[in-house]
């Protein structure tokens, strides 16, 4: 079979902000800022599949061309106006071979990426930079069936490229003590991933280990010209190791169906903070407990409960436990063409996060209380219930996410 997908995206976003700052120690001030962002993306993806040597061979290529410009203006001059342009092209041939075996399945593949990245700020600052990336990304996995249990293990090497906002060096005003910008010098993250999974009846256990080189972190640093003003930006950390383990089970008893998942994220990270070596190794445990009670063929009540413990994620420390409870009532009408959902979100008004961002010479604490308790009604009507069989190969989907 041969599949060819072509995608084109264009959008433009404009926004204006007005900050009214009142101060007991210095003068009050009004700050006006405006920002304009334009994106365009052209992507193609070719996939050819054929049976060979008792298995399936897939070969193809994905090509993307992206352009983005970003204009930021502050008419009072508290931060300099800036204009940046980014152009990136990516050519990525790939190949994968899968084969069914008496004891399971084996899959092996490789992807090569050639990227040309151009960044310029020539309108206000005479800055221009070109970077080239050439990398191979191998992967393999095997599924082994032993009686009622199945095991899956594998290895993947992958990259995570910075978003275009993370790459933009335009400086945005937040308040008189805080600015924000991207970092055009960011490197791509390179991750080696090893995973192991086991499934037996209704129980699933997975272990996932990631070692990331040049991990992208939020960072805070004081301005050179005025150390009382800090800038939030991004930086690369040489290495980050993360182990994720999860357990999931689901059960059905008459009209009640439940699903429980427990996941633990443990990282190994040490950074120099405030002149001292500090560890960020406290694990975070997450729990999800979902229940469905089917009152009739077309009427269901659903409850979702999620809990997250305090702990470290990269150079952030979440200082308190948080939980969230949602409830749904769903009803199918008109021969399943009309779907009705009545939802209550964050019933106990508990969606709170208190992260502390740690950088070399700055520690920034926040307490976020989200106004997420709400009541909503959703109606969805199916006009045509016949589904298109061809779903496409999703050309340029990763690049759309970066935009």
């Amino acid at each position: 079979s041969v599949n060819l997908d072509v995608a084109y995206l264009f959008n433009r976003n404009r926004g204006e902000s007005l900050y009214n700052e009142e101060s007991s120690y210095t003068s009050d001030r009004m700050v006006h800022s405006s920002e304009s962002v334009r994106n365009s993306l052209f992507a193609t993806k070719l996939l050819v599949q054929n049976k060979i040597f008792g298995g399936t061979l897939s070969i193809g290529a994905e090509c993307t061309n992206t352009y983005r410009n970003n204009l930021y203006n502050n008419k009072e001059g508290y931060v300099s106006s800036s204009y940046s342009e980014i152009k990136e092209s990516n050519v990525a041939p790939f190949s994968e071979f899968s084969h069914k075996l008496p004891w399971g399945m084996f899959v092996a593949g490789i992807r090569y990426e050639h990227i040309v990245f151009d960044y310029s700020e020539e309108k206000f600052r005479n800055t221009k930079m070109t970077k080239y990336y050439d990398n191979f990304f191998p992967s393999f996995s095997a599924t082994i069936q032993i009686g009622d249990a199945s095991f899956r293990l594998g290895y993947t090497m992958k990259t995570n490229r910075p978003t275009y906002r993370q790459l933009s060096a335009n400086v945005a005003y937040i308040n008189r003590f805080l600015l924000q910008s991207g970092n055009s010098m960011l490197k791509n993250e390179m991750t080696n991933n090893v995973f192991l999974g086991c499934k037996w009846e209704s129980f699933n256990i997975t272990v996932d280990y990631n070692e990331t080189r040049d991990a992208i972190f939020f960072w805070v640093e004081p301005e050179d010209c005025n150390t009382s003003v800090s800038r939030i930006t991004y930086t690369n950390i040489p290495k980050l190791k993360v182990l994720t383990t999860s357990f999931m089970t689901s059960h059905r008893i008459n009209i009640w169906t439940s699903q429980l998942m427990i996941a633990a994220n443990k990282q190994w990270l040490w950074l120099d903070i405030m002149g001292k070596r500090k560890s960020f190794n406290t694990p975070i445990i997450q729990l999800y407990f979902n229940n469905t009670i089917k009152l009739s063929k077309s009427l269901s009540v659903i409850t979702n409960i999620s809990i997250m413990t305090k702990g470290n994620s990269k150079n952030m420390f979440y200082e308190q436990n948080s939980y969230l409870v949602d409830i749904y009532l769903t009803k199918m009408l008109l021969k399943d063409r009309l779907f009705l959902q009545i939802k209550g979100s964050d019933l106990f008004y508990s969606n709170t996060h208190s992260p502390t961002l740690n950088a070399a010479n700055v520690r920034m604490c926040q307490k976020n209380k989200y106004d997420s308790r709400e009541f909503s009604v959703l109606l969805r009507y199916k006009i045509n219930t016949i589904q298109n069989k061809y779903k496409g190969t999703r050309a340029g989907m990763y690049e759309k996410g970066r935009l």
Side-chain angles (χ1 to χ4, degrees):
S1 65
V2 179
N3 296 298
L4 176 65
D5 281 350
V6 180
Y8 177 75
L9 177 147
F10 173 84
N11 61 37
R12 175 175 289 176
N13 300 309
R14 295 176 180 173
E16 294 185 357
S17 299
L18 171 62
Y19 301 86
N20 182 11
E21 294 190 356
E22 299 178 356
S23 174
S24 303
Y25 302 99
T26 60
S27 60
D28 300 343
R29 65 186 183 187
M30 302 281 287
V31 182
H32 301 77
S33 66
S34 62
E35 184 177 27
S36 174
V37 179
R38 193 183 78 172
N39 299 308
S40 64
L41 165 67
F42 180 75
T44 60
K45 187 174 182 179
L46 175 67
L47 177 64
V48 180
Q49 293 181 311
N50 194 29
K51 300 289 185 180
I52 187 173
F53 301 127
T56 302
L57 177 65
S58 303
I59 58 174
E62 185 172 13
C63 303
T64 61
N65 280 280
T66 308
Y67 172 80
R68 178 186 178 98
N69 67 42
N70 187 187
L71 173 64
Y72 182 86
N73 182 56
N74 167 227
K75 70 179 184 180
E76 291 85 5
Y78 294 119
V79 295
S80 300
S81 296
S82 54
Y83 177 82
S84 62
E85 287 187 327
I86 298 176
K87 299 176 183 178
E88 185 176 291
S89 63
N90 183 0
V91 179
F94 58 87
S95 178
E96 181 182 89
F97 180 73
S98 60
H99 197 292
K100 285 186 177 181
L101 299 170
W103 42 263
M105 169 78 77
F106 176 79
V107 181
I110 191 166
R111 179 183 176 96
Y112 167 75
E113 290 190 359
H114 171 72
I115 299 172
V116 180
F117 173 83
D118 287 308
Y119 179 87
S120 65
E121 298 177 57
E122 294 179 302
K123 189 170 184 177
F124 294 103
R125 295 185 290 271
N126 189 22
T127 302
K128 193 170 184 179
M129 175 179 59
T130 300
K131 293 191 285 188
Y132 300 91
Y133 297 94
D134 291 277
N135 299 102
F136 287 94
F137 301 100
S139 65
F140 72 87
S141 66
T143 303
I144 304 170
Q145 190 74 33
I146 303 176
D148 294 333
S150 64
F151 299 85
R152 187 169 181 262
L153 56 92
Y155 164 80
T156 303
M157 183 179 181
K158 53 189 176 182
T159 185
N160 179 44
R161 303 200 297 278
T163 67
Y164 287 97
R165 183 165 289 278
Q166 289 175 329
L167 289 166
S168 174
N170 294 1
V171 180
Y173 183 92
I174 298 178
N175 58 56
R176 67 183 69 200
F177 301 112
L178 197 60
L179 308 175
Q180 185 169 6
S181 75
N183 180 1
S184 60
M185 300 301 294
L186 281 178
K187 302 175 185 177
N188 295 340
E189 291 183 340
M190 303 293 287
T191 299
N192 290 287
N193 169 258
V194 179
F195 58 90
L196 173 66
C198 175
K199 181 180 180 182
W200 176 72
E201 294 186 349
S202 61
F203 300 97
N204 284 273
I205 298 175
T206 60
V207 179
D208 204 69
Y209 176 75
N210 289 281
E211 186 172 297
T212 302
R213 189 172 74 246
D214 296 321
I216 298 172
F217 278 37
F218 266 118
W219 204 245
V220 184
E221 51 194 25
E223 290 287 275
D224 294 333
C225 57
N226 185 356
T227 55
S228 66
V229 178
S230 298
R231 182 189 298 195
I232 302 175
T233 184
Y234 303 89
T235 193
N236 290 109
I237 299 299
K239 187 177 289 187
L240 175 66
K241 300 177 181 179
V242 180
L243 177 68
T244 302
T245 58
S246 65
F247 166 81
M248 185 172 70
T249 183
S250 59
H251 296 277
R252 183 174 181 177
I253 302 173
N254 295 326
I255 64 172
W256 174 47
T257 303
S258 67
Q259 185 180 69
L260 173 68
M261 189 183 83
I262 303 173
N265 295 278
K266 162 69 176 176
Q267 65 180 26
W268 286 267
L269 177 67
W270 289 264
L271 296 172
D272 292 322
I273 304 295
M274 305 292 184
K276 296 181 180 179
R277 195 69 171 169
K278 182 177 174 62
S279 68
F280 294 84
N281 300 330
T282 304
I284 292 177
I285 298 174
Q286 295 173 287
L287 182 146
Y288 301 93
F289 186 40
N290 303 327
N291 297 271
T292 301
I293 299 175
K294 204 165 183 64
L295 301 177
S296 69
K297 184 178 179 181
S298 61
L299 180 64
S300 300
V301 177
I302 303 168
T303 60
N304 294 338
I305 302 171
S306 61
I307 300 172
M308 187 179 83
T309 66
K310 57 187 177 181
N312 287 116
S313 176
K314 293 187 174 179
N315 56 333
M316 302 274 252
F317 181 68
Y318 291 91
E319 299 190 358
Q320 68 180 66
N321 302 326
S322 63
Y323 69 96
L324 197 64
V325 179
D326 300 331
I327 187 167
Y328 305 74
L329 177 69
T330 65
K331 174 71 173 175
M332 301 298 298
L333 301 163
L334 303 179
K335 297 182 179 179
D336 293 344
R337 286 181 175 270
L338 180 63
F339 173 78
L340 168 65
Q341 175 185 280
I342 301 173
K343 179 182 178 183
S345 303
D346 191 11
L347 296 184
F348 299 102
Y349 199 36
S350 56
N351 193 6
T352 302
H353 294 286
S354 298
T356 297
L357 175 62
N358 297 272
N361 298 304
V362 178
R363 179 177 291 118
M364 189 173 73
C365 305
Q366 279 189 329
K367 184 171 183 179
N368 302 319
K369 181 71 173 177
Y370 298 101
D371 187 18
S372 54
R373 183 163 59 178
E374 64 182 17
F375 169 81
S376 62
V377 177
L378 170 67
L379 284 170
R380 183 169 61 236
Y381 183 77
K382 297 180 182 179
I383 296 174
N384 183 4
T385 58
I386 299 175
Q387 299 295 321
N388 188 346
K389 292 183 179 180
Y390 180 67
K391 300 296 183 181
T393 55
R394 301 168 68 84
M397 289 301 296
Y398 178 80
E399 192 70 2
K400 291 177 186 177
R402 293 179 66 210
L403 287 171

